[in-house]
Amino acid sequence: MKFENVLLGLLALKPLHGYELMKWLDTEGQFLRSNTHHSQIYRELGRMVTNGLVEFHVDPREGRPDAKVYRITEVGREALVEWVHSPYKPTSRFQDADFNARFVFTAQLDPAAAVVVIDTELEYRRAQVLRSRTRSLTMADPDPIPEIDLDRVERIGIAMHEFGKESVDRWIEWLEEMRASLVAEIASTAEPEASVTATIAEEARS
């Protein structure tokens, strides 16, 4: 996932200066992108200005350095819309930052497209569950170094597997709940359910 997509998604809500972007990414945004240094933000914003995705005006501040306030351009808006409608590819980790960012910014622009993202994630996670629930948790023919206790390794491995199993199951439940909520919203504000289903299917095909 490109960092510019996260910044475009934030700037689509309102113009912001670099410090505001950095503060948000350090708090609420840490689940969309972790360990973002302020220098990365300013470098990316500079590149996005050069590419016409954002523009800025200088906000003069008495007694403090002037601040650049960034605003998304029409080119940036088109790039953001293109991204949220592009195919989503899940990663092996559930609730990954790639999904979080993609879902959040897609949902704020197009709930039908967000349903497609959820459907893609659900399909991947369900297949992942089917593969992992039947696999052996024991290593074949172990030959460990002296410091390793195989009984402890097995005990911890099983505990982590059980926790992961419960976490993924709850993740799938949340996705199903969110999907139902979005479909209900679309149906109540725009089209009959049949039309909503057709819209979602068309998004999936594209």
Side-chain angles (χ1 to χ4, degrees):
M1 179 186 61
K2 293 181 179 179
F3 188 24
E4 73 176 34
N5 294 324
V6 174
L7 297 178
L8 287 173
L10 294 174
L11 293 173
L13 294 170
K14 60 180 289 189
L16 297 164
H17 55 67
Y19 177 76
E20 289 172 321
L21 289 166
M22 179 179 67
K23 186 176 179 180
W24 191 89
L25 287 166
D26 282 344
T27 52
E28 290 89 346
Q30 63 184 301
F31 299 105
L32 305 185
R33 182 181 173 88
S34 60
N35 302 323
T36 304
H37 193 269
H38 70 274
S39 61
Q40 292 176 284
I41 297 174
Y42 290 109
R43 279 199 307 269
E44 189 65 22
L45 287 170
R47 189 189 64 79
M48 292 167 70
V49 169
T50 300
N51 292 338
L53 299 170
V54 300
E55 59 190 11
F56 67 87
H57 70 270
V58 177
D59 180 19
R61 302 188 172 191
E62 186 175 350
R64 291 184 296 166
D66 295 343
K68 291 181 179 178
V69 180
Y70 294 88
R71 178 188 301 272
I72 192 170
T73 64
E74 180 61 22
V75 175
R77 186 193 70 80
E78 292 174 358
L80 179 63
V81 171
E82 180 181 359
W83 173 61
V84 302
H85 289 99
S86 64
Y88 162 66
K89 296 180 181 179
T91 63
S92 60
R93 295 177 299 174
F94 74 95
Q95 204 173 357
D96 189 84
D98 279 0
F99 172 85
N100 294 341
R102 181 60 174 267
F103 176 67
V104 165
F105 296 128
T106 300
Q108 74 183 23
L109 290 174
D110 186 341
V115 172
V116 175
V117 172
I118 287 180
D119 285 344
T120 305
E121 177 76 3
L122 276 171
E123 181 182 8
Y124 185 95
R125 296 305 156 204
R126 287 166 178 160
Q128 191 178 46
V129 166
L130 286 176
R131 292 193 304 270
S132 65
R133 297 290 161 87
T134 58
R135 66 180 173 86
S136 173
L137 302 180
T138 304
M139 179 182 294
D141 302 321
D143 185 16
I145 63 176
E147 290 83 359
I148 290 181
D149 183 318
L150 288 177
D151 289 337
R152 183 172 65 251
V153 169
E154 181 178 3
R155 184 176 72 253
I156 292 174
I158 291 173
M160 292 185 68
H161 177 79
E162 288 301 315
F163 178 77
K165 174 183 174 182
E166 294 172 5
S167 299
V168 171
D169 287 346
R170 178 61 191 119
W171 176 240
I172 290 173
E173 289 177 7
W174 182 86
L175 291 169
E176 292 170 338
E177 292 165 3
M178 185 56 62
R179 186 190 192 282
S181 174
L182 287 170
V183 170
E185 176 192 350
I186 297 167
S188 66
T189 58
E191 306 169 0
E193 180 65 28
S195 297
V196 173
T197 303
T199 300
I200 293 169
E202 180 62 28
E203 285 281 355
R205 285 194 295 271
S206 62

